[in-house]
Amino acid sequence: MRRKRSVAPEPAGKTPCGVGGWAKRRPGRASSVSALGGLLPTMSASSEEGSTVEESEDLTTSMNLMDFSDEILLHILRYIPVSDLVLSIRRVCRKLAVLSLDKSLTHLVILHKDYQVDKDKVKQLMREIGKEIHELNVAGCYWLPGSTVDQVIHCKNLVRLNLSGCHLTSLRLSKMLSALQHLRSLTIDVSPGFDSSHLSSECKATLSRVLELKQTLYTPSYGVVPCCTSLEKLLLYFEILDRSRFILSGQLMVGESNVPHYQNLRVFYARLAPGLVNQEVVRLYLAVLSDRTPEKLHAFLISAPGGFAESCTVKNLLDSMARNVTLDALQLPRSWMNGSSLLQHLKFSNPVYFSFSRCSLSGGQLVQRVLNSGKDLRSLVGLNLSGCVHCLSPGSLLRKAEDDIDSGIVETLVSSCCNLRHLNLSAAHHHSTENLGKHLCQILSRLKCLLSLALPVCSIADVSVADKPSVQPASGAASQGFGKKVRIGVQTYARNFQEEGNSRPSSSVFWSLLEGIPYLERLELIGSSFSSAMPRNEPAIRNSLPPCSRAQLVGDAEVAAIGQLAFLQSLTLAQLPNILTGSGLISIGARCQHLRTLSLANLGMMGKVAYMAALMDMLKHCRCLRDLRLEQPYFNANAQFFQALSHCSSLQRLCIISRRGTLQPDAVMAFMTTCLEVIMCHMFTGESLTVCKNLQQSLIWSFQAERPALNIVIFPLLHEDLTEVIRDVPMMHLDEITLFKSRVAEEPPNLWW
């Protein structure tokens, strides 16, 4: 008997504004059969015992699901994974058997994050509806063996195929693509051992017709790019380790002539992981573009951490772009933008996305070169100014990062880009003046279409109370590091959080901001000096920088204000030193019923977890929570915590990062036994290597068989081999939850399907 799986409800209502094709939102898909919401049992209801007058009058209790029209039923079934429709739902009755195989449901099959799909289900699904599938998304299904991925060959009519994160060799890819003559969009990983010489002529013929290609490179290679001569969209993700610098293939070193000239290319996107080798390889791709820049290019985006020197080839490319193309989306490494007059020469037409992350762009340059002194940019959907410390100030000369911003620049930004949906201002100090009505929060509240917003914690501080002697920081020790621990079992917050959350403070600029943007779905409040202890390709960070002094003015009351966001789905709170009890978290848990992703890091003083009791009360309300990330020194993952976490019946992924933190193995085992949906458990604490290895093995032995997608990593945070361990984590989990980063306006919306 198939066990029941819970599903988080989709938020009601529609987005109030729409801007262009980049901002279109695809319908969400639930993750289990129970999305029917308990309506299926009514199909067997009958009136054998006779109906009373009261029952006949109460239409809501006597309504049968099968009385709905086919159109309504099809709309309901859209939220059920196709694997459940074909293998389960259609066996309920004849009507559902017909509707479940409707072309509107079977043309698009999404197995991405359908963690209960195993190899047998995939094989059966491909046999039964393979010929009906036009779009297939198997991204991140790392648990499926290569032989199961081979079943894609049955989908003869595929137009779009996403195999990112799947086990794929060049021979397997060649056999698969040889049979998919209608393919126009492809996503693959290029792993060590990939050899393009293994691709058959039939495979290359299919690739020559592909219009959209997304490649994740784990080894220096062109992958299948040389075969894709008709590309209009090219997305490249570079995840090559630095040690691969010594094995750069001869094909790459001389391979410019092997890469086609992209005369039809419209979108070029490259995202680089840290490492010089990734920069070296991407230069080889750019060399072809610099030789002949596509005239149809309208989106050029390169995301590179750290320094990325501008070579002669790159300079020639940028000069050619300034002469020959008109862009609507732009992102460049900061070293290419700093001190450059490039923005003065590039041409834009109805731009939809700009990213100037980490650039030394001043407010004057932002207004004059990007906004063109108030130019109408109503088409702009996403704007990323993360780490631009001077972007809201007139100039950057002789100015400290902590100085007050210029509200006039913010007002120009808001009036020009009035339809912004995604705005990132994190990783900087944006301090407002005391001028009435000129606070950053009050100005941003005019952006009524915002769906995601990232702000530094200090930017929401109420400056009207900053100089009052009655307002004191949580403790002077907050910025120094450690304090005295408190007992977990003692309630240290007000229990009457309902009244506390409903009462609007008389003068709260942050409350006013959230009132003005009620449709917000993602919110990030990140300390301007916060850095995660979880490394990427370097040892774990042992010391953190002190928080901004203005962040001491942000505490539980501001966190409680977040509870008014009825549509909130993702929340990140990092480095809020003045969190005393965490009472605001309970308000969020009780009111934000669509919350699916929660990330908390370094709340309160570093030496104690004062908000633990409030967090446990919050978790009891989070029935829809799927991803939880906790990063806090001295965090004690004990039985009480896991018992509270067990109320999160939809939880799928858990990540705990705690320097000198502890855990109770028995409590972890009990939690995994209770929460049947959990497939990812990452814990990096202060426990010994022996304790971590024993717990990891016990979890794998106990739950791997019934949870095919199970991914368990338990490891000491400060161990020297940590970087090697996390490299084996599936990229989907590593990128989405384990590694901390701001995700607002990270890339253009709907960059890929």
Side-chain angles (χ1 to χ4, degrees):
M1 182 176 181
R2 194 176 189 275
R3 62 185 177 83
K4 184 177 179 181
R5 299 161 56 198
S6 61
V7 172
E10 297 290 333
K14 295 182 178 180
T15 305
C17 305
V19 185
W22 290 82
K24 289 192 302 181
R25 304 175 66 201
R26 299 179 63 84
R29 295 236 165 191
S31 62
S32 81
V33 179
S34 60
L36 288 175
L39 290 175
L40 281 178
T42 64
M43 292 187 298
S44 59
S46 64
S47 57
E48 294 178 357
E49 298 179 358
S51 59
T52 64
V53 176
E54 291 80 4
E55 289 175 339
S56 63
E57 291 177 352
D58 190 357
L59 297 178
T60 58
T61 58
S62 61
M63 178 65 71
N64 190 305
L65 179 65
M66 293 300 101
D67 292 336
F68 293 153
S69 67
D70 289 353
E71 290 76 13
I72 294 178
L73 288 174
L74 284 173
H75 182 77
I76 294 174
L77 295 176
R78 285 173 54 222
Y79 294 90
I80 309 296
V82 177
S83 58
D84 287 328
L85 287 177
V86 175
L87 306 181
S88 300
I89 295 296
R90 76 185 184 100
R91 293 187 171 88
V92 172
C93 66
R94 291 183 178 179
K95 187 170 186 177
L96 287 179
V98 175
L99 293 178
S100 296
L101 297 181
D102 188 86
K103 291 183 178 180
S104 64
L105 301 177
T106 58
H107 276 193
L108 172 61
V109 175
I110 299 179
L111 301 182
H112 176 59
K113 292 189 178 181
D114 191 354
Y115 299 118
Q116 297 302 321
V117 170
D118 56 24
K119 58 182 182 180
D120 294 329
K121 290 181 180 179
V122 173
K123 291 179 180 179
Q124 185 178 354
L125 183 68
M126 296 301 151
R127 285 197 302 267
E128 298 203 21
I129 64 166
K131 295 181 179 179
E132 303 295 328
I133 301 175
H134 288 184
E135 301 181 38
L136 177 62
N137 187 347
V138 200
C141 293
Y142 52 86
W143 61 92
L144 295 178
S147 58
T148 303
V149 179
D150 287 341
Q151 301 301 311
V152 174
I153 201 171
H154 295 295
C155 307
K156 304 291 186 181
N157 296 313
L158 269 184
V159 177
R160 310 183 79 181
L161 175 62
N162 191 334
L163 294 172
S164 176
C166 296
H167 299 285
L168 199 65
T169 64
S170 47
L171 288 174
R172 178 168 284 121
L173 179 66
S174 177
K175 180 180 178 182
M176 187 185 305
L177 296 187
S178 297
L180 305 180
Q181 300 180 5
H182 303 288
L183 196 67
R184 296 297 180 268
S185 177
L186 176 64
T187 305
I188 60 170
D189 292 349
V190 179
S191 302
F194 184 90
D195 189 347
S196 59
S197 65
H198 293 161
L199 303 179
S200 66
S201 57
E202 293 83 1
C203 172
K204 292 179 179 179
T206 297
L207 289 170
S208 68
R209 295 186 289 268
V210 168
L211 303 178
E212 302 175 352
L213 176 65
K214 178 179 177 182
Q215 278 191 163
T216 301
L217 298 164
Y218 295 96
T219 185
S221 172
Y222 287 129
V224 299
V225 170
C227 304
C228 302
T229 55
S230 303
L231 282 182
E232 296 180 0
K233 180 184 290 188
L234 176 60
L235 276 62
L236 301 168
Y237 293 74
F238 295 87
E239 296 288 342
I240 310 169
L241 298 180
D242 251 356
R243 59 193 179 199
S244 300
R245 296 181 66 188
F246 304 105
I247 56 172
L248 285 173
S249 67
Q251 177 190 359
L252 270 176
M253 301 305 293
V254 299
E256 289 183 17
S257 61
N258 295 328
V259 181
H261 295 289
Y262 306 114
Q263 61 270 18
N264 297 320
L265 198 65
R266 298 175 58 83
V267 176
F268 180 86
Y269 176 87
R271 193 185 79 177
L272 285 66
L276 292 176
V277 64
N278 293 303
Q279 298 180 14
E280 292 178 13
V281 177
V282 77
R283 289 184 196 279
L284 296 173
Y285 283 85
L286 295 176
V288 180
L289 292 176
S290 65
D291 183 49
R292 180 183 175 186
T293 305
E295 296 181 358
K296 297 180 181 179
L297 191 69
H298 69 83
F300 186 77
L301 308 120
I302 298 181
S303 173
F308 188 4
E310 181 182 3
S311 63
C312 293
T313 298
V314 169
K315 188 178 184 305
N316 293 336
L317 170 61
L318 297 179
D319 290 342
S320 177
M321 288 173 54
R323 293 191 307 268
N324 301 320
V325 302
T326 300
L327 299 173
D328 60 26
L330 176 68
Q331 179 177 8
L332 295 175
R334 63 182 181 184
S335 56
W336 299 7
M337 299 286 293
N338 294 344
S340 171
S341 60
L342 177 64
L343 286 177
Q344 291 180 327
H345 303 296
L346 287 175
K347 297 184 288 292
F348 301 100
S349 175
N350 297 320
V352 295
Y353 176 81
F354 286 140
S355 176
F356 304 110
S357 179
R358 304 289 176 179
C359 293
S360 60
L361 186 72
S362 69
Q365 293 172 320
L366 178 65
V367 171
Q368 296 171 11
R369 299 182 182 180
V370 181
L371 306 179
N372 291 330
S373 300
K375 181 182 178 181
D376 182 4
L377 293 177
R378 286 180 292 182
S379 59
L380 199 66
V381 175
L383 178 61
N384 189 344
L385 296 173
S386 172
C388 297
V389 296
H390 305 296
C391 67
L392 300 183
S393 302
S396 58
L397 296 177
L398 303 178
R399 179 190 179 275
K400 295 181 180 179
E402 296 83 0
D403 289 346
D404 290 343
I405 63 174
D406 186 333
S407 59
I409 293 175
V410 185
E411 289 182 330
T412 302
L413 171 65
V414 169
S415 60
S416 302
C417 312
C418 57
N419 288 323
L420 271 180
R421 290 187 173 206
H422 314 280
L423 175 62
N424 194 328
L425 293 172
S426 64
H429 297 271
H430 295 314
H431 296 173
S432 299
T433 63
E434 296 185 29
N435 296 335
L436 185 63
K438 300 297 185 180
H439 195 283
L440 175 66
C441 290
Q442 293 171 311
I443 301 174
L444 292 182
S445 65
R446 305 172 195 169
L447 295 173
K448 303 300 182 182
C449 297
L450 274 183
L451 296 178
S452 63
L453 176 64
L455 293 174
V457 175
C458 56
S459 71
I460 70 169
D462 197 337
V463 293
S464 63
V465 298
D467 298 325
K468 292 184 179 180
S470 58
V471 178
Q472 298 291 337
S475 171
S479 62
Q480 300 173 5
F482 305 102
K484 184 179 179 180
K485 294 185 179 181
V486 296
R487 287 189 298 161
I488 297 300
V490 179
Q491 301 287 356
T492 57
Y493 56 88
R495 296 295 300 178
N496 194 5
F497 69 90
Q498 294 284 358
E499 293 183 5
E500 176 184 328
N502 285 325
S503 59
R504 185 190 188 283
S506 57
S507 60
S508 172
V509 291
F510 184 55
W511 190 290
S512 300
L513 168 63
L514 299 186
E515 271 188 334
I517 49 175
Y519 296 99
L520 202 67
E521 296 177 356
R522 179 187 291 272
L523 175 64
E524 296 178 353
L525 295 179
I526 304 174
S528 51
S529 57
F530 174 75
S531 58
S532 173
M534 192 66 198
R536 176 63 188 228
N537 292 327
E538 65 277 353
I541 299 172
R542 298 172 184 266
N543 298 313
S544 59
L545 297 174
C548 174
S549 58
R550 283 209 184 184
Q552 301 283 356
L553 302 172
V554 179
D556 295 319
E558 285 74 18
V559 172
I562 300 173
Q564 65 184 295
L565 297 175
F567 298 96
L568 191 66
Q569 296 184 28
S570 177
L571 175 64
T572 297
L573 301 175
Q575 200 182 41
L576 279 74
N578 203 33
I579 296 296
L580 301 180
T581 65
S583 57
L585 295 174
I586 311 173
S587 176
I588 296 173
R591 296 186 178 89
C592 301
Q593 290 298 299
H594 300 300
L595 188 64
R596 298 186 178 189
T597 301
L598 177 63
S599 177
L600 305 177
N602 292 8
L603 304 186
M605 289 188 296
M606 299 289 284
K608 57 184 178 182
V609 190
Y611 64 94
M612 179 64 120
L615 174 62
M616 290 190 294
D617 271 1
M618 175 197 189
L619 293 175
K620 295 175 183 178
H621 299 282
C622 297
R623 305 291 183 179
C624 299
L625 192 66
R626 294 183 180 179
D627 295 341
L628 175 62
R629 185 186 192 274
L630 293 174
E631 180 172 343
Q632 186 80 31
Y634 295 98
F635 189 86
N636 182 15
N638 57 16
Q640 288 177 297
F641 166 73
F642 282 110
Q643 185 176 3
L645 190 58
S646 298
H647 288 85
C648 303
S649 54
S650 298
L651 192 69
Q652 295 177 334
R653 300 191 289 185
L654 171 66
C655 181
I656 296 178
I657 298 165
S658 180
R659 177 165 47 90
R660 298 189 181 182
T662 61
L663 57 86
Q664 294 182 5
D666 292 342
V668 179
M669 292 293 295
F671 160 72
M672 291 291 291
T673 303
T674 302
C675 291
L676 304 178
E677 299 293 327
V678 177
I679 57 90
M680 191 207 91
C681 182
H682 291 179
M683 295 186 185
F684 306 96
T685 66
E687 295 287 359
S688 68
L689 182 61
T690 301
V691 171
C692 292
K693 283 189 173 182
N694 290 340
L695 177 57
Q696 177 173 315
Q697 288 299 324
S698 297
L699 291 172
I700 294 175
W701 290 339
S702 300
F703 304 106
Q704 184 75 71
E706 62 186 40
R707 306 182 197 184
L710 188 68
N711 183 253
I712 305 292
V713 181
I714 317 289
F715 205 77
L717 178 62
L718 299 181
H719 196 280
E720 59 184 4
D721 293 333
L722 177 62
T723 54
E724 296 295 328
V725 171
I726 65 172
R727 285 170 184 165
D728 294 329
V729 174
M731 182 54 63
M732 178 178 68
H733 299 323
L734 188 65
D735 186 61
E736 293 180 2
I737 182 170
T738 306
L739 297 177
F740 184 94
K741 64 177 178 179
S742 176
R743 291 175 169 81
V744 172
E746 182 184 12
E747 58 186 28
N750 297 303
L751 181 63
W752 201 249
W753 60 296

